[in-house]
Amino acid sequence: MTTLSIFHQDQPETAHTVTDNAAEIRELLARHGVRFEQWPTRDLPDEAAQDDILEAYQAEVSALKSECGFQTADVISLNPDHPDKDALRKKFLDEHTHSEDEVRFFVRGQGLFYLHFGDQVLAVLCQKNDLISVPDGTRHWFDMGPEPRFTCIRLFSNPEGWVANFTGADIAGQLPRYEALAGAAG
């Protein structure tokens, strides 16, 4: 189930707010300019190819491209048997920003976005059906867990795709990881 946990950066061990109410999650994220929606998903096999996934969601992807000026879309899919899963997890766990919005639509599985605003960290456990758009310049990181199992459509304004500007901050290591928060939500 989709869950939002809000932490104060000076007390990172315990969330002061936790909700699984989609409307409340949408409202709390919107206060920070984060777009959160839940879309219907299609029945596709776990091993569906990128082109098949993009074709299945062509209407939604086209609408977002038109509305927000995105140039490209691709699919990222990771499973527990991916040979680079540990390196990818480590890379995404470092706090970073982007010069464009980071948009993900979860076609299957789940992942945990941490969004750092001032002295607050909002941890959003995104699930199948969730669309999240993190505004450009937002400090954040992503935890896919030790045994990742997700497929996401990604949209980009920059044709180069995912380009991160790492902050060098160590806050990501201070908060509970995927294993603690996804276990509590599930």
Side-chain angles (χ1 to χ4, degrees):
M1 138 184 352
T2 303
T3 306
L4 172 63
S5 302
I6 303 176
F7 298 84
H8 191 281
Q9 71 180 16
D10 294 335
Q11 297 175 323
E13 61 283 343
T14 306
H16 62 75
T17 301
V18 178
T19 183
D20 61 9
N21 178 293
E24 187 175 10
I25 292 170
R26 187 172 20 266
E27 176 189 329
L28 290 167
L29 291 175
R31 292 178 187 172
H32 299 283
V34 177
R35 179 178 184 164
F36 176 80
E37 299 173 1
Q38 292 184 311
W39 292 357
T41 52
R42 317 290 193 274
D43 287 327
L44 297 169
D46 285 351
E47 65 280 351
Q50 172 172 290
D51 289 344
D52 296 332
I53 294 169
L54 290 174
E55 182 178 325
Y57 293 95
Q58 181 179 7
E60 291 90 343
V61 169
S62 293
L64 275 176
K65 281 182 173 182
S66 176
E67 176 188 344
C68 302
F70 297 116
Q71 301 297 311
T72 62
D74 71 5
V75 174
I76 184 168
S77 188
L78 288 173
N79 290 309
D81 61 352
H82 192 285
D84 297 324
K85 70 179 182 182
D86 295 332
L88 288 169
R89 183 182 191 200
K90 184 177 180 341
K91 174 182 172 180
F92 297 143
L93 274 175
D94 289 332
E95 185 183 70
H96 59 276
T97 64
H98 301 286
S99 59
E100 66 177 334
D101 293 357
E102 180 166 346
V103 181
R104 301 292 180 267
F105 173 64
F106 283 78
V107 172
R108 106 181 142 86
Q110 64 183 19
L112 187 56
F113 275 92
Y114 295 82
L115 312 171
H116 188 182
F117 299 103
D119 59 3
Q120 302 273 312
V121 176
L122 288 68
V124 187
L125 179 63
C126 292
Q127 305 265 329
K128 178 180 177 178
N129 298 63
D130 291 343
L131 171 89
I132 189 166
S133 179
V134 179
D136 65 22
T138 299
R139 296 177 295 160
H140 69 283
W141 61 97
F142 178 73
D143 191 352
M144 60 187 179
E147 299 296 318
R149 187 175 306 277
F150 70 90
T151 300
C152 288
I153 295 175
R154 309 184 301 176
L155 290 106
F156 300 100
S157 301
N158 181 345
E160 293 178 32
W162 194 84
V163 178
N165 303 304
F166 293 96
T167 68
D170 67 350
I171 189 162
Q174 299 173 29
L175 277 96
R177 299 268 171 146
Y178 176 94
E179 296 87 334
L181 296 181

